[in-house]
Amino acid sequence: MQGVGTGRLLASRYALRQRRATLGAIEVWAATDSTLGREVSVTVLPVSDSHAEPLLEAARSTASVNDHRLVRVLDVGSRGEIAWVVEESLSESTSVADLLTQGPLPPEEGRRIAGEVASALDVAARAGLHHLHLTPHAVRRTKAGLVKIAGLATAAAVEGTPVPDHAEAERIDALGTIALLYAAMTTRWPMRTPVPGLEAAPRVGGSVAPPSEIAVAVPADLDDLCRDAFTRSAAPRTPEELARRLGPWSHTLVRHVAPRPGLAAPTEQIPRVRGGGVGGPVAGATGAAAPGAMGAPAAGAAAAAAGAAAGAAGTPGAGEAATVRPPRPPRPTAHKPSHREQRAHDKAAQAAEARREIAARRRDPGFLDVPEALESSTGPLEAPTPLVATPIESEGRYAKVVIGVVAAVLIVAVVFAATSLRGAVKEMEQAVSPTHTPTATPGRTSSPTSDRTTSSPTGTSSPTTSGITFTGVRALDPQGDGKENDGGARRAADGDPSTFWQSEGYKSPTYQSQKNGVGLAFRLPTDASPSQVSVTLGDAPQDAEVYVSKTRSIDSGTKIGEFSDATGDQQVDVPEDARADARYVIVWVTKAMEQEDGRYRAIIAEVAAS
């Protein structure tokens, strides 16, 4: 591409290092973000190219979806005759297609990867975005086992694939995820549109052979899922439905020996499917490289360029070209599993049964929520009743000795557990029950990111109020990941203004426009009727609102006050008609304060009610 080469600096920030792939006028480069000193992947193309505007628009839409399994779009822009999309680098990851060159993955690892993909696509679908070109080249796994999906919306933009209605798009993505699961367990691709690097799945009687007929130790539920998808046409129609059917799955990388490749059907018996599909014209692009051969991240728009060049256009059910019908293959010969294979199958069946029991238990309304239970505790727990060994009807020579040893061990364990539990409950009570202590000399914090803060962020001392003692405090981040430095929340209710709670760091005071605010919820005693709330903020201007609510949410609360560009001490009165139903006091910061490191954080030093 004219004007693009090694050393070129885009947007005065991204230094191009090495070209990884080309697709017509589209180029994928490994680059360095000179501002943050990190590796990135940059896709560049001429502004005049017909794919430029759809690609940039798709990348902007993808950047608004916050899910760690989707390749992050970091920057989108154009200048002069060049347009670009910058994404996170996945140079330390490997595509599923490359993993399958070493043989099939363990079935439970296939379940995990497919489950993570389905969950991420469900998040994207709720934002109105779809992949439509899901293949093993578009899904990558890091060394730590994290799953990354490249090309959300951007692959379809590069291919010029028209986006169907929402229901049909969800069906395509769900079926593509099941095809990914099938390939992970068998190294074969079940869809008619071929994918480079993978053999076509054998067909029996015109239908795709179930994975259990070409691989060993395939769990029954996964085999039924693939049968429903490719034989019975009864597959889940949305990624959300598919995720429920796959779950629960392991949250860590599954590392056990996969079935031997020799147990699959012989290669010469598998018909090769020829013909185009939407990836036909792209696969012949000059200099295009398959994602597995690039040795580069090929993430996001990079997968749209390089991954599509390798046949990432294997869109399930969309634009399939006519194929030459191959001769009917011989029926695969039945394989009698060995003793080791039978043991592996039995172990997989036991694991599946355990997962079903766990899932049923979690659906039970009486399932214990441990954090909520601990937060609601009001006093030390009683010591558990000592366990008594069941008498043995017929004692042997050493029965009495064994029983004595076991009883002694049980008694020691019970005493140790009771002591530890009492100490833990006492520490928890001290953490959630604020005690009023003399205020320290205020000063500006020198380490805004540290949890062990010893200096106050305020310019004034906290007001001393008496009366109501909060029974608990939790951080609120309903529009984010649900967590916002929860460990420091209790510092805002300990009566000491020299300690404070602060949120995570953001690039703008309005949280990059990704959320309306963050804050803290202080639980009141059941018999409390607060008439006034005192709030101590930081020493830099913040916008905040104060609510009283029946629940830990501002949606069901009553706003009793708000501050604009406020610092230090603030007081608001609680209306009489809102006092009786007040169970929580919520301080909601809508504009954070800037700190010395250039990041913006919400800071609450002290909250009290009387």
Side-chain angles (χ1 to χ4, degrees):
M1 180 175 172
Q2 187 176 2
V4 175
T6 302
R8 172 68 187 270
L9 196 65
L10 295 179
S12 302
R13 178 172 181 174
Y14 306 107
L16 304 183
R17 294 198 330 268
Q18 184 180 6
R19 184 170 59 189
R20 297 297 193 185
T22 62
L23 178 62
I26 302 175
E27 297 182 0
V28 182
W29 285 77
T32 301
D33 183 345
S34 57
T35 300
L36 299 179
R38 62 181 177 184
E39 287 188 30
V40 294
S41 177
V42 180
T43 301
V44 295
L45 70 165
V47 173
S48 59
D49 191 282
S50 60
H51 299 107
E53 188 57 34
L55 175 59
L56 297 184
E57 184 61 30
R60 291 189 184 98
S61 301
T62 303
S64 65
V65 182
N66 184 20
D67 191 284
H68 67 276
R69 294 159 294 201
L70 300 174
V71 173
R72 289 181 298 154
V73 175
L74 305 175
D75 196 0
V76 179
S78 62
R79 182 174 299 173
E81 299 180 354
I82 301 175
W84 63 82
V85 175
V86 181
E87 299 164 297
E88 64 175 306
S89 172
L90 294 180
S91 58
E92 298 299 321
S93 67
T94 307
S95 71
V96 172
D98 282 350
L99 293 174
L100 295 182
T101 61
Q102 306 299 320
L105 300 179
E108 291 305 318
E109 176 65 359
R111 182 198 300 272
R112 186 184 74 88
I113 293 176
E116 293 292 322
V117 170
S119 298
L121 292 180
D122 176 51
V123 173
R126 295 175 190 274
L129 296 177
H130 311 281
H131 197 289
L132 304 181
H133 285 260
L134 194 68
T135 71
H137 290 288
V139 179
R140 306 182 69 84
R141 188 182 75 181
T142 67
K143 294 181 179 179
L146 300 179
V147 176
K148 290 285 186 178
I149 307 171
L152 177 70
T154 56
V158 168
E159 285 297 320
T161 304
V163 179
D165 63 77
H166 183 75
E168 177 63 12
E170 284 199 297
R171 186 194 71 82
I172 291 173
D173 280 352
L175 191 57
T177 306
I178 299 174
L180 174 72
L181 170 65
Y182 186 103
M185 295 189 295
T186 66
T187 72
R188 310 300 167 94
W189 185 244
M191 309 300 295
R192 288 195 178 275
T193 305
V195 170
L198 273 73
E199 296 282 355
R203 294 180 177 270
V204 179
S207 300
V208 176
S212 60
E213 293 188 8
I214 57 176
V216 298
V218 175
D221 62 329
L222 299 186
D223 194 56
D224 287 341
L225 175 62
C226 294
R227 289 175 186 266
D228 288 345
F230 304 120
T231 303
R232 305 166 184 155
S233 300
R237 301 190 63 83
T238 67
E240 179 185 17
E241 182 182 347
L242 175 58
R244 287 200 303 267
R245 186 160 174 180
L246 286 170
W249 56 80
S250 171
H251 293 290
T252 58
L253 180 64
V254 179
R255 297 180 183 275
H256 66 71
V257 179
R260 297 191 302 275
L263 296 175
T267 302
E268 58 270 18
Q269 295 182 2
I270 300 174
R272 303 297 295 270
V273 180
R274 297 179 295 173
V278 272
V282 178
T286 302
M294 291 193 308
T315 309
E320 293 186 355
T323 61
V324 178
R325 184 177 298 278
R328 183 173 178 178
R331 183 181 301 274
T333 57
H335 170 74
K336 183 178 181 180
S338 65
H339 178 67
R340 173 181 289 182
E341 293 162 359
Q342 185 61 45
R343 288 182 58 189
H345 183 276
D346 294 342
K347 186 176 294 185
Q350 293 173 2
E353 179 64 26
R355 285 194 305 273
R356 285 192 288 270
E357 292 179 0
I358 293 174
R361 185 183 175 203
R362 288 176 176 171
R363 288 193 296 269
D364 184 357
F367 184 71
L368 177 63
D369 185 338
V370 176
E372 190 69 35
L374 289 176
E375 183 184 288
S376 303
S377 64
T378 56
L381 301 180
E382 296 183 0
T385 304
L387 301 178
V388 179
T390 303
I392 299 177
E393 296 180 359
S394 178
E395 298 183 353
R397 180 178 180 182
Y398 301 104
K400 293 184 178 180
V401 177
V402 172
I403 292 175
V405 172
V406 171
V409 171
L410 289 176
I411 293 173
V412 172
V414 169
V415 173
F416 178 78
T419 304
S420 301
L421 192 57
R422 288 180 181 274
V425 172
K426 180 177 292 186
E427 290 180 1
M428 180 191 66
E429 288 182 334
Q430 293 174 352
V432 302
S433 300
T435 56
H436 296 281
T437 58
T439 60
T441 303
R444 187 177 179 88
T445 175
S446 60
S447 179
T449 59
S450 172
D451 284 342
R452 295 190 174 183
T453 308
T454 57
S455 60
S456 170
T458 64
T460 59
S461 61
S462 176
T464 57
T465 58
S466 60
I468 299 176
T469 299
F470 296 124
T471 59
V473 55
R474 291 276 292 274
L476 297 181
D477 184 20
Q479 297 169 325
D481 59 3
K483 300 178 182 179
E484 195 72 25
N485 194 12
D486 297 281
R490 63 180 181 274
R491 299 189 182 115
D494 60 359
D496 185 357
S498 66
T499 61
F500 56 90
W501 168 83
Q502 63 183 5
S503 71
E504 299 171 0
Y506 295 88
K507 296 180 181 179
S508 71
T510 55
Y511 315 101
Q512 290 102 249
S513 300
Q514 295 180 355
K515 57 185 74 175
N516 296 330
V518 296
L520 296 177
F522 301 82
R523 191 171 70 239
L524 294 162
T526 55
D527 58 347
S529 180
S531 60
Q532 186 181 68
V533 176
S534 300
V535 180
T536 302
L537 301 173
D539 62 352
Q542 298 182 94
D543 291 356
E545 300 171 348
V546 182
Y547 295 81
V548 290
S549 176
K550 294 180 181 179
T551 65
R552 197 163 45 221
S553 171
I554 64 174
D555 295 336
S556 59
T558 301
K559 184 191 293 187
I560 61 174
E562 59 182 329
F563 319 125
S564 179
D565 291 332
T567 62
D569 300 340
Q570 308 290 334
Q571 289 83 33
V572 294
D573 294 328
V574 182
E576 291 187 7
D577 57 352
R579 296 176 184 176
D581 294 333
R583 290 296 172 264
Y584 290 88
V585 172
I586 299 176
V587 180
W588 186 251
V589 181
T590 57
K591 188 182 78 172
M593 61 179 281
E594 184 177 8
Q595 295 197 300
E596 293 175 352
D597 63 349
R599 308 285 282 184
Y600 292 85
R601 295 178 176 83
I603 288 188
I604 302 175
E606 196 68 30
V607 175
S610 59

